[in-house]
Amino acid sequence: MPRNPRYDVLFEPVRIGPVTAPNRFYAVPHASGMTNAMPRMRAAFRETKAEGGWGVVCTGYVSIDPASDDSPLPYATLWDEDDVRSHALMTEAVHRHGALAGIELWHGGGSVMNRLSRTPSMSPSGTAWMPTQVSYIGTQRPRVMDSQDIRELLEAQRRAARRARAAGFDIVYVYAGMGYLPHEFLLPEWNHRTDAYGGSLRNRARIVRELLEVTHEAVGDRCAVALRVSLEELRARPSEHAPSEAHELVQLLADLPDLWDVKMDAETTDCAPSRFASEGSHEPVISFVKSLTDKPVVGVGRFTSPDTMVGQIRRGVLDLIGGARPSIADPFLPKKIAEGREDDIRECIGCNICISSWHDCVPVRCTQNPTIGEEWRRQWHPERVPPAPHGATVLVVGGGPAGLECALTLGRRGYEVMLAEAADELGGRLRFETRLPGLASWARVLDWRRSQLRRLANVTVYRGNRLTADHILELAPVHVVIATGSRWTPLLYTPLEVPSGTLAGPRVYTPDDVAAGVRLEGPVVVFDFDNYYMGSALVEHLAAAGLRVSYATPSGLAAAWSVMTNEQPQTYRALAAAGAEVHTLTRVESFDGEEVTLIDVFTFARRRLPCRALVIVGARLPEDALYRELTARRAERVAAGVASVTRIGDALAPGAIAHAVYSGHRHGRELDAGDDARALRRDAPLRALDHARTSA
Ligand code: ADP
Ligand code: SF4
């Protein structure tokens, strides 16, 4: 299909200093979980974005010096010639598709612990960044930088910039954001210096200016120099010379960088989940930048709608449409717009599972795109699947995220697929969860798959069909895939987290009961040891229905795991807005239908709360009875010609939606595939030493 002319502006080239981006789609730097130990995986992951039409594809954060060591978090390095070769794999891959490659050079300053290098970290005035927060917590404080440290920092940037040029990058960054070293200089709370680098904003910005200058000197006119800067805090600070210190900073440095890459300050605002922030949430902070510089400006905002993107350009907010999450959820987003296939865009749902991968120190995962990070390791391409060896019939039982993804993948491969869903609507857990406050955009998981399935003549969907083992044996497909999900249970645990039996009795509920529309009487206590979003979202949901709700958890913090998805602060605010008391470090000891007794996990102190409904958000168990019955009736199965029965998704192992989608996709790809296709390739660092040995 031809491109919609309304979107032509998105495909205009943009000059960035000495280089030209072929279009306005800019895959901004973002953590990928892939370090220099995974150079092939990393190159293939970024190559896929370039193949999908992103005009610029950037690295994640790349350390310029061993004194900036974020171990054990998965950061990249550019410390020596091995690192140059490692990154060159990516630049070559990106260039093959006509895109530019950008590198985010980084020094963590007081935010890193240098756990591996054991060099004391440093910051402008010896202050650590968020030293009591998970990821940053440590037992050693940074040292105060002296003038020698400043000279060495500039030299480290210069060396790294030269290496970046040698590795083939087109855009080289100075990174003054997110609490990293140059950002610490900009903020007076971290910078108490009395020399030329502290005091006025002009002085606090001096280090950024000098970093930009040495980078320009190092790369000459071969590469553009970009400045990535966080403006949220500075925007809130008054200035004597401008509407805010953010304005003053942009005025001071206006045309020094070839590109402004502007963002928010902290993970929770910079990469906020859709539950609490909408598309374009950065605009109020960064919209002024273009009015103060002639250089192009890139920014993010979880943009997935081409109309919103065009709006950003036309309204003079941005020149380049930055995408981190949208480029993960759909590396082919630009190409789909170019080909008039906007409806095919697999839109990011804003769940931030991708961010959790970084916290977990593993390659990026995505709820919407199961192929991300698997481009090299499993040879999975987001837009192509291997054809089925034959057109056998496959019955997929269950139309939740796992069943939908599996049916879609099998259908794309050419199997004859029947998808049976017991409920009248597809979606599985999404049918309820997307009705919870803030989670409406998660429906994109269902919407995209449903619309793609509609185009496949070889996939038939049966709704309102609860299948039994007898039905399945009668249908006699060649393969059966069981995607029947899981159920929440009122199971409790001991302090050692050993299951201690279910809490039976009246007025004890699980999220499944709330989903089924059971009417609860207040006051309600939600007891959460799932620790992700369900507990707090239910509190909001029940409070919105007018019930008085309290929240209790054995964890030290409400929704403890949601620190991984950047949503914990907002979750606390949501609980407060719902009027919920929060009780942490506590377990449910007993419930008599009128009062619940909570017991402190450490002190064993007891507390009683009035409670007419206890909702336990804890363990989920697989809904796998159908699978077990079919496996038990082996002889009948064989007689019916059913060659395989496989469990996927929550029916195999309950987890986040991302796990279910991945499980469905993997089975869809691997059915009837040989051992080679299933093999997990192992990446390894490029080392000159090894290279010398192999060539000797
Ligand atoms: P997952 O996340 O693994 O996809 P879900 O719980 O979201 O799991 O979805 C499972 C789906 O399977 C639900 O929509 C449920 O109605 C459906 N289902 C469960 N048992 C059967 C059955 N016997 N026949 C058809 N559909 C079923
Ligand atoms: Fe978007 Fe979620 Fe995928 Fe991240 S994991 S890119 S937030 S859909």
Side-chain angles (χ1 to χ4, degrees):
M1 281 214 296
R3 175 168 91 208
N4 185 331
R6 207 165 63 235
Y7 306 139
D8 284 353
V9 67
L10 299 173
F11 295 89
E12 291 169 352
V14 179
R15 185 108 193 126
I16 307 174
V19 297
T20 302
N23 59 38
R24 296 184 189 268
F25 294 96
Y26 193 110
V28 291
H30 73 81
S32 70
M34 289 174 233
T35 64
N36 285 28
M38 303 170 188
R40 297 165 192 84
M41 282 176 72
R42 197 170 56 181
F45 150 72
R46 299 211 171 101
E47 175 170 13
T48 308
K49 294 190 191 191
E51 186 193 348
W54 294 86
V56 180
V57 179
C58 295
T59 64
Y61 65 147
V62 179
S63 168
I64 58 173
D65 189 81
S68 175
D69 148 29
D70 216 10
S71 308
L73 287 164
Y75 67 106
T77 56
L78 190 47
W79 297 345
D80 55 28
E81 291 310 303
D82 284 335
D83 287 347
V84 171
R85 296 190 317 119
S86 175
H87 288 287
L89 284 188
M90 172 223 161
T91 58
E92 284 157 18
V94 163
H95 289 157
R96 275 198 283 277
H97 302 277
L100 300 179
I103 181 165
E104 185 185 49
L105 297 182
W106 162 82
H107 196 299
S111 78
V112 292
M113 294 294 150
N114 290 345
R115 291 179 174 94
L116 196 64
S117 65
R118 299 201 66 178
T119 307
S121 62
M122 59 188 191
S123 70
S125 303
T127 308
W129 183 263
M130 298 172 76
T132 66
Q133 304 285 310
V134 178
S135 303
Y136 300 102
I137 202 157
T139 50
Q140 193 177 31
R141 292 289 170 264
R143 68 175 202 277
V144 180
M145 287 175 79
D146 61 19
S147 51
Q148 175 68 13
D149 290 322
I150 290 180
R151 276 196 298 277
E152 281 175 13
L153 169 71
L154 294 170
E155 280 316 302
Q157 175 78 13
R158 189 193 303 277
R159 277 194 306 273
R162 282 198 194 116
R163 289 189 185 116
R165 189 186 56 184
F169 285 100
D170 309 286
I171 302 174
V172 180
Y173 269 74
V174 168
Y175 189 7
M178 305 285 282
Y180 298 131
L181 186 54
H183 191 211
E184 292 165 6
F185 272 89
L186 290 175
L187 300 178
E189 288 79 4
W190 275 267
N191 181 351
H192 304 147
R193 301 179 73 92
T194 50
D195 61 5
Y197 294 90
S200 66
L201 182 64
R202 180 177 289 275
N203 275 1
R204 283 181 272 133
R206 186 179 307 276
I207 197 77
V208 180
R209 173 182 290 281
E210 291 177 355
L211 285 164
L212 287 165
E213 285 166 356
V214 295
T215 311
H216 272 301
E217 283 164 25
V219 300
D221 55 10
R222 244 272 286 118
C223 313
V225 176
L227 173 60
R228 190 169 222 209
V229 63
S230 291
L231 295 176
E232 196 178 355
E233 170 71 23
L234 292 170
R235 179 82 205 250
R237 300 185 66 85
S239 154
E240 284 174 20
H241 317 288
S244 76
E245 286 205 342
H247 291 77
E248 191 186 338
L249 180 75
V250 180
Q251 277 165 359
L252 279 170
L253 302 175
D255 289 342
L256 193 49
D258 296 314
L259 170 75
W260 282 85
D261 179 341
V262 288
K263 60 188 327 230
M264 310 286 265
D265 287 23
E267 285 170 37
T268 51
T269 50
D270 188 63
C271 191
S274 60
R275 185 176 166 193
F276 300 110
S278 54
E279 190 176 7
S281 63
H282 290 213
E283 186 176 330
V285 168
I286 57 90
S287 58
F288 74 92
V289 176
K290 253 188 72 61
S291 66
L292 298 178
T293 173
D294 292 332
K295 301 295 173 161
V297 177
V298 62
V300 293
R302 207 165 45 76
F303 300 119
T304 56
S305 147
D307 290 308
T308 310
M309 297 175 196
V310 170
Q312 293 282 311
I313 311 288
R314 297 264 183 243
R315 288 187 296 111
V317 181
L318 298 173
D319 297 295
L320 292 141
I321 301 299
R325 289 173 290 176
S327 72
I328 296 172
D330 196 340
F332 274 62
L333 180 150
K335 213 159 229 179
K336 289 175 182 174
I337 301 173
E339 293 169 359
R341 298 193 293 125
E342 300 82 67
D343 291 349
D344 284 342
I345 295 174
R346 195 174 38 231
E347 291 181 284
C348 165
I349 68 166
C351 61
N352 282 359
I353 282 292
C354 47
I355 315 288
S356 78
S357 332
W358 176 71
H359 290 289
D360 270 339
C361 308
V362 294
V364 62
R365 293 165 241 163
C366 172
T367 300
Q368 277 284 57
N369 178 9
T371 66
I372 203 80
E374 304 290 9
E375 300 84 354
W376 183 86
R377 192 169 74 149
R378 290 193 186 277
Q379 301 280 290
W380 287 0
H381 190 278
E383 301 297 309
R384 293 191 289 275
V385 287
H390 44 69
T393 51
V394 186
L395 171 66
V396 179
V397 188
L404 285 165
E405 177 66 25
C406 190
L408 179 58
T409 311
L410 292 167
R412 287 167 68 202
R413 290 186 62 199
Y415 285 97
E416 281 301 317
V417 182
M418 296 175 280
L419 172 63
E421 165 55 50
D424 292 336
E425 289 303 326
L426 294 173
R429 59 192 289 183
L430 292 165
R431 286 193 297 272
F432 171 59
E433 294 186 16
T434 52
R435 287 193 280 122
L436 291 170
L439 298 188
S441 58
W442 290 23
R444 291 171 173 183
V445 173
L446 166 63
D447 294 342
W448 184 78
R449 286 166 181 81
R450 197 168 36 194
S451 74
Q452 297 292 307
L453 281 169
R454 275 196 207 110
R455 299 177 195 184
L456 294 174
N458 53 330
V459 180
T460 317
V461 177
Y462 301 92
R463 297 184 183 78
N465 266 275
R466 178 171 292 281
L467 297 189
T468 62
D470 287 339
H471 291 139
I472 294 171
L473 293 173
E474 210 173 295
L475 279 167
V478 178
H479 300 289
V480 180
V481 182
I482 303 291
T484 45
S486 62
R487 64 185 181 285
W488 294 91
T489 64
L491 201 62
L492 293 179
Y493 286 89
T494 69
L496 290 177
E497 306 203 356
V498 177
S500 62
T502 51
L503 186 69
R507 297 205 278 273
V508 176
Y509 304 99
T510 69
D512 289 330
D513 298 315
V514 183
V518 170
R519 294 191 80 78
L520 309 192
E521 241 182 89
V524 181
V525 174
V526 171
F527 179 53
D528 181 15
F529 57 95
D530 172 65
N531 290 320
Y532 189 17
Y533 57 89
M534 180 55 81
S536 59
L538 276 184
V539 170
E540 288 187 87
H541 175 71
L542 296 170
L547 292 162
R548 184 148 69 86
V549 194
S550 302
Y551 172 95
T553 177
S555 179
L557 285 168
W561 196 80
S562 67
V563 73
M564 306 288 276
T565 46
N566 293 355
E567 58 194 309
Q568 199 169 47
Q570 300 96 319
T571 299
Y572 263 86
R573 290 195 277 274
L575 289 169
E581 276 177 26
V582 174
H583 304 274
T584 53
L585 294 174
T586 193
R587 291 186 300 115
V588 166
E589 186 178 53
S590 60
F591 174 54
D592 63 9
E594 298 294 335
E595 274 188 333
V596 64
T597 302
L598 301 177
I599 178 163
D600 188 283
V601 296
F602 293 143
T603 66
F604 312 116
R606 291 185 172 78
R607 173 177 16 197
R608 296 162 80 85
L609 301 179
C611 176
R612 300 272 299 164
L614 175 64
V615 183
I616 298 182
V617 184
R620 282 193 286 145
L621 293 180
E623 198 70 87
D624 60 356
L626 196 52
Y627 171 81
R628 282 185 281 112
E629 185 177 345
L630 284 172
T631 352
R633 294 169 67 178
R634 189 169 182 281
E636 287 170 80
R637 234 181 52 215
V638 173
V642 176
S644 76
V645 181
T646 312
R647 273 173 302 179
I648 61 166
D650 290 341
L652 174 66
I657 297 167
H659 299 307
V661 170
Y662 185 86
S663 167
H665 188 83
R666 184 166 171 194
H667 186 63
R669 287 224 180 221
E670 293 186 348
L671 186 68
D672 290 325
D675 289 346
D676 278 356
R678 291 161 187 262
L680 188 66
R681 297 212 281 171
R682 292 179 68 187
D683 208 349
L686 303 183
R687 306 292 305 167
L689 197 59
D690 303 339
H691 182 67
R693 269 202 211 120
T694 2
S695 26

